[in-house]
Amino acid sequence: MTDPLLQTDLYTLVKGRHGHFLTNPQDVYMGRSILNYGEFSEAEWQLLDQITLPGMSVVEAGANMGTLTVPLANKLGRKGMLYAFEPQIAIFQLLCANLALNDLVNVQAFNAGCGEQPEWLPIIRLDPAKQRNFGGIGLEHLTRETNTRVRIEALDDALDMPALHLIKADVEGMEVPVLKGAAGLIGKHRPLLYLEASKEHAPEIISHVLGLDYEMWWHLPPMFNPQNFFGKAENLYGRITSKNVVCAPVERKFTVKGLRKVTGPEDHPSNWGR
């Protein structure tokens, strides 16, 4: 890690590839990556950079601390708009801090999750001082007996948008409920979709998206970037890759060079070569 700009009991401020980030050293993936490399999942951003243009409107479900929100909002510019949803309270605070640190007035942030219908769910306040993967916790793991609740929004009800160009969702298995709650927006605007698709949830995601008359391609961005911003040669993540899908309406005749097309619900990278 380069010398931090600020160090508190819980958080560290660094200047990374895409701007200033207040980050939690106890976050074993996003936080650790920003601190050690000055970036997180740069290959994922490079894909998003290819499929977005200034002036677009984008929804990000599961924005976390904003590692991809910040460069995406910068790309969209003042004429674009990004709607970022993050249900975890401590992580939402980091997201808002990073939006402010980078002067991103074209982002509307919601301390909420996205789902099929509007509702309130009980949610545990995660302790930011305890080490964990803060980006790998689904709402089903957070709903316990507690006095704290979080709003779950159906995008169709939460947003009245004249245009929608992309929905990005990394919501730990709730991708299909997010899409069901955005059925009206998807039917009206036919946006691109960029979704996490873990092995457990991929069959449901693929079946649902194909049913929307979309085409899909696998995108497997590695966690480690040898050309990382801080120039660190040590790979802390080995061969770990994310399992995502890029999806486009069939009528757009969209092409993604270098990516493998999804063939059906049972198609998953973990099954390749068997």
Side-chain angles (χ1 to χ4, degrees), residues 210-254:
L210 291 177
L212 298 174
D213 210 15
Y214 271 64
E215 296 179 292
M216 310 173 70
W217 296 263
W218 283 108
H219 185 232
L220 311 176
M223 290 280 293
F224 176 68
N225 173 23
Q227 287 77 47
N228 62 83
F229 185 66
F230 288 163
K232 299 292 182 66
E234 182 185 9
N235 179 357
L236 298 175
Y237 302 111
R239 300 177 65 183
I240 296 176
T241 62
S242 298
K243 309 297 187 293
N244 301 331
V245 286
V246 186
C247 318
V250 294
E251 67 270 16
R252 288 189 59 170
K253 302 188 184 305
F254 194 80

